[in-house]
Amino acid sequence: MGNGFQGLDRFAAGAQYIGGRLRAGTSEHGHTVIDPATGEKVLDYAPASTADVDAAVGAARDALPGWAGATPGERSDAMHRFAARLAERAEDLAHAESLQCGKPIRLSREFDVPGTVDNTAFFAGAARHLQGQSAGEYSGDHTSYVRREPIGVVGSIAPWNYPLQMAAWKVLPAIAAGNTIVLKPAELTPLTSLMFAQAATDAGIPDGVVNVVTGSGREAGEHLVGHPDVAMTSFTGSTAVGKRVAEIATSTVKRLHLELGGKAPFVVFDDADLEAAVHGAVAGALINTGQDCTAATRAYVQRPLYDAFVSGVADLMATIRIGDPFQEDTDLGPLVSHAQRDRVAAFVDRARGYATVVTGGVAPHNDGAYYRPTLITGAAQDSEIVQAEIFGPVLVVLPFDGDDEGLALANDTPYGLAASAWTRDLYRANRATREIQAGCVWINDHIPIISEMPHGGYKASGYGKDMSAYSFEEYTQVKHVMFDNTAVARKDWHRTVFRDR
């Protein structure tokens, strides 16, 4: 292929992973994975039908008693082996991720793959720490304690922007807690999710614990969410689709976890380190070609720094190298598809009618789904380019005067997934972390995540947490157990029913 990845023959059996083995889907509609950097075909496959979803759920249901009944130590040991298998296959995973997504190989090697290995190792340890509340005599006559138990079969839907990491975020806390899972990756980018599931089997995780169905949202996804044997749905994607997922999940009263859209503000106060803010804004806006729900998309800059910030961002964006994702010096790859490139371009073209495109705003003339880093100024706060999630390499910069105004503007969208504030003042920083309505607020940085800390949003960005021990709140049921300590047949409280008898 010319990109160093020679593992496509492993998918000859199909793009479904059910009961510990690859198999072909049975949908009538075929699908092709396209390399967005070249427009060339990577893989033809038969997507999952509703029957394939039923088979995957059945495999997960059959595997549940054994996996849920394993000791925490047994699950932990298997997951440590899982982390080791992923580390051994790091280069294959990195190449497959860049091939299907178009992301620079540096990003796949240095962020996506090591982050996934680390996340697997974290949950291998966390599997041993699923404790409930300590036992105690809270009523005086009884001993109470709390058990954490698996929910059952989890049906998860992951997006195309970080296929490997999103597979990990969905699968790992679920299986660490003793659940089994059916994952539906995006049909555009199934390769690394399938490789992830295969690595789980190779590590000794029992067949049926981790299953992958690759198909369309309308056919495979909706059937998975509505399946009566699926006890929980976890979805990452747009807010619009998340609302549809919630409607379907509600009909079967299943547990629901939603990680939805974002429109992260980047608030620069007048005492900020200007060089750090400029570099942070460009990196935060362009990571993964801007296809990141936590990407810096709205920079609010206090007026004394505004002109210098705009100039600095424009100059730094002009140095970004666009090119072949498999070249080590490439900074920015293509968007995931030509359709996504055209969607981003349409946002920018509409903005030309009411704002200024300072730099970028064009697609290079090549076969790939590329779009140049784009900086926009002069937009109104209520304009589409400020309010809507673009999911591309586009940063909008707006000025503000007082601190009250800057924080109010930061909160003035429906979203609340992530944000950052840039200041040397401790009190300003503390105020920003208190008042910005987002699930993650960085101070003097933007983007870094770690396995030990939770990820999830406020408002229209959804609810529930990925990563960290907090994710077990999503993937476990809490049971109160109460023992009588008196050995008395006739309890005092029985008088409320029996009176003096």
Side-chain angles (χ1 to χ4, degrees), residues 148-471:
R148 282 190 180 273
E149 297 181 348
I151 294 172
V153 176
V154 177
S156 291
I157 299 176
W160 46 255
N161 57 333
Y162 290 102
L164 178 61
Q165 289 206 82
M166 294 298 100
W169 287 15
K170 299 302 182 193
V171 169
L172 297 173
I175 67 172
N179 302 284
T180 57
I181 189 167
V182 179
L183 172 72
K184 193 200 88 65
E187 59 267 40
L188 291 174
T189 55
L191 304 182
T192 47
S193 296
L194 295 164
M195 295 166 68
F196 186 77
Q198 180 69 65
T201 298
D202 294 346
I205 292 175
D207 293 350
V209 172
V210 179
N211 306 275
V212 177
V213 290
T214 304
S216 71
R218 188 171 298 277
E219 184 172 8
E222 292 198 1
H223 190 64
L224 179 61
V225 173
H227 201 290
D229 290 336
V230 170
M232 173 185 168
T233 291
S234 178
F235 170 80
T236 296
S238 72
T239 298
V241 177
K243 290 177 180 178
R244 174 61 178 158
V245 168
E247 289 173 1
I248 299 170
T250 299
S251 67
T252 53
V253 199
K254 52 172 54 78
R255 180 82 64 90
L256 184 60
H257 169 211
L258 299 174
E259 199 262 273
L260 306 178
K263 189 71 177 176
F266 186 102
V267 183
V268 182
F269 293 100
D270 58 11
D271 66 332
D273 180 327
L274 180 62
E275 181 183 12
V278 166
H279 280 79
V282 173
L286 300 185
I287 187 170
N288 204 33
T289 319
Q291 298 166 124
D292 187 312
C293 51
T294 65
T297 59
R298 301 178 288 138
Y300 297 102
V301 184
Q302 205 152 18
R303 209 169 292 274
L305 294 185
Y306 177 80
D307 289 339
F309 180 88
V310 169
S311 176
V313 168
D315 290 345
L316 189 55
M317 280 187 170
T319 70
I320 296 297
R321 294 181 292 267
I322 300 174
D324 180 353
F326 290 95
Q327 295 298 315
E328 292 287 347
D329 62 351
T330 293
D331 299 320
L332 195 74
L335 288 111
V336 75
S337 67
H338 287 78
Q340 180 65 13
R341 192 265 320 268
D342 294 345
R343 179 181 179 273
V344 171
F347 271 108
V348 175
D349 289 345
R350 289 192 295 272
R352 296 180 198 277
Y354 55 80
T356 300
V357 177
V358 177
T359 189
V362 296
H365 297 291
N366 55 41
D367 295 327
Y370 292 89
Y371 198 76
R372 293 200 180 280
T374 300
L375 176 64
I376 294 175
T377 61
Q381 174 66 16
D382 61 356
S383 62
E384 179 190 54
I385 205 75
V386 174
Q387 293 291 323
E389 186 174 34
I390 299 167
F391 232 54
V394 179
L395 177 66
V396 184
V397 185
L398 295 86
F400 71 91
D401 292 304
D403 291 15
D404 291 351
E405 180 189 12
L407 295 173
L409 290 169
N411 288 328
D412 185 29
T413 71
Y415 300 106
L417 186 58
S420 64
W422 298 72
T423 177
R424 291 183 172 98
D425 187 308
L426 176 64
Y427 296 98
R428 267 179 164 167
N430 277 332
R431 182 185 178 190
T433 62
R434 288 194 309 270
E435 297 187 13
I436 293 177
Q437 298 162 2
C440 175
V441 180
W442 293 283
I443 299 297
N444 296 326
D445 207 345
H446 195 108
I447 286 297
I449 53 175
I450 50 175
S451 297
E452 293 82 358
M453 288 291 112
H455 176 85
Y458 286 24
K459 305 190 294 186
S461 292
Y463 46 82
K465 299 299 179 185
D466 290 310
M467 299 198 300
S468 81
Y470 289 98
S471 65

Side-chain angles (χ1 to χ4, degrees), residues 99-122:
L99 181 64
Q100 65 183 351
C101 299
K103 62 181 66 188
I105 192 67
R106 287 206 320 267
L107 181 63
S108 295
R109 282 179 179 151
E110 298 176 22
F111 183 74
D112 296 65
V113 174
T116 299
V117 173
D118 182 75
N119 214 230
T120 308
F122 170 82

